[in-house]
Amino acid sequence: MPTTDLRVQRTQAALKAAFRTLALKKYPRYRDITVKELTSVANVNRKTFYLHFDTIDDLAETFVEEGANNILALIDPQDFKQTIAQPGLIFDRLVAYFRQSEAFNRVILLNDDYSFLSRKIQTAVADGLTATIQASYHLSAVDAKVCSSFLIHNNLTFYRLYFTGELGLNLEEVKQRLVSLNAYGIHQFFYPHQPLK
């Protein structure tokens, strides 16, 4: 049985690597990727693809699950209060994570054809954090969901803005603005010298 599991893992890894290759080099449009091309790049036959996935969308979902799980591990739900008490720590961890596969992550975050993956990852991370935030801070389910959505949305949005270069800021400057927004809300941007009441 372990041999089969290892073979399954290798095949799925090859198909995922092929998907990344096609997304980066050949097909800027998600819907242009075909099973035929995917299996050719992965060096597996079509029948093997269909043993693992029903559609390319099913394969794409594995990136959502993997991305959400990895980001949740970085945020560290087990010690969430400690993590959140260190301003910018989540952003730093996300930067390090995204740099591991920066070219592909740029596609997911910036290419409209693939951005549905980043939205699904964002939703899955927010869902995964909601219970942690609710328990850690004794919030209602609604407030915990708002907080978790706000947290992950802000971090991914600021990283996306850094990627595009729209802000003309270096990574540390982007991080400082994110920390300020997370800590003080929009009030700090509109009234930087007026304390919160």
Side-chain angles (χ1 to χ4, degrees):
M1 191 67 149
T3 309
T4 305
D5 290 346
L6 193 56
R7 193 173 26 194
V8 166
Q9 289 173 7
R10 275 198 302 261
T11 301
Q12 290 181 353
L15 288 166
K16 289 176 76 170
F19 182 89
R20 282 189 191 95
T21 298
L22 292 173
L24 287 169
K25 296 183 179 173
K26 198 161 184 184
Y27 295 111
R29 292 175 40 95
Y30 172 75
R31 292 291 170 206
D32 289 343
I33 296 177
T34 65
V35 171
K36 181 179 179 182
E37 279 278 288
L38 197 56
T39 54
S40 175
V41 172
N43 199 26
V44 299
N45 64 48
R46 286 175 63 92
K47 218 176 190 177
T48 301
F49 175 88
Y50 289 112
L51 286 173
H52 295 271
F53 304 103
D54 291 332
T55 64
I56 291 174
D57 290 340
D58 290 338
L59 172 60
E61 280 296 321
T62 66
F63 290 98
V64 172
E65 183 180 338
E66 178 184 289
N69 288 339
N70 288 336
I71 291 171
L72 281 168
L74 294 173
I75 294 173
D76 192 8
Q78 302 305 320
D79 199 8
F80 183 74
K81 278 190 166 183
Q82 183 65 28
T83 301
I84 208 74
Q86 300 175 59
L89 180 62
I90 292 172
F91 184 74
D92 289 339
R93 289 177 177 175
L94 282 174
V95 168
Y97 171 69
F98 283 128
R99 283 191 170 153
Q100 293 172 12
S101 186
E102 188 166 332
F104 184 64
N105 286 317
R106 278 181 183 266
V107 169
I108 288 177
L109 288 171
L110 303 179
N111 185 314
D112 287 342
D113 270 39
Y114 294 86
S115 63
F116 74 96
L117 293 172
S118 67
R119 286 191 304 275
K120 285 183 169 198
I121 290 169
Q122 183 174 314
T123 299
V125 171
D127 289 347
L129 273 181
T130 297
T132 298
I133 290 174
Q134 185 176 10
S136 297
Y137 294 95
H138 309 292
L139 298 175
S140 70
V142 170
D143 287 341
K145 177 68 173 186
V146 168
C147 289
S148 64
S149 298
F150 182 82
L151 177 71
I152 191 60
H153 176 76
N154 280 0
N155 277 276
L156 289 178
T157 297
F158 271 74
Y159 197 63
R160 189 178 293 116
L161 287 169
Y162 170 70
F163 260 164
T164 63
E166 298 175 49
L167 301 177
L169 302 174
N170 66 39
L171 200 54
E172 189 57 33
E173 292 168 324
V174 169
K175 176 183 165 182
Q176 289 310 313
R177 281 166 174 79
L178 172 66
V179 166
S180 180
L181 181 62
N182 282 343
Y184 304 108
I186 202 78
H187 178 88
Q188 180 69 21
F189 279 90
F190 291 145
Y191 308 105
H193 303 295
Q194 182 181 340
L196 290 170
K197 296 181 181 178

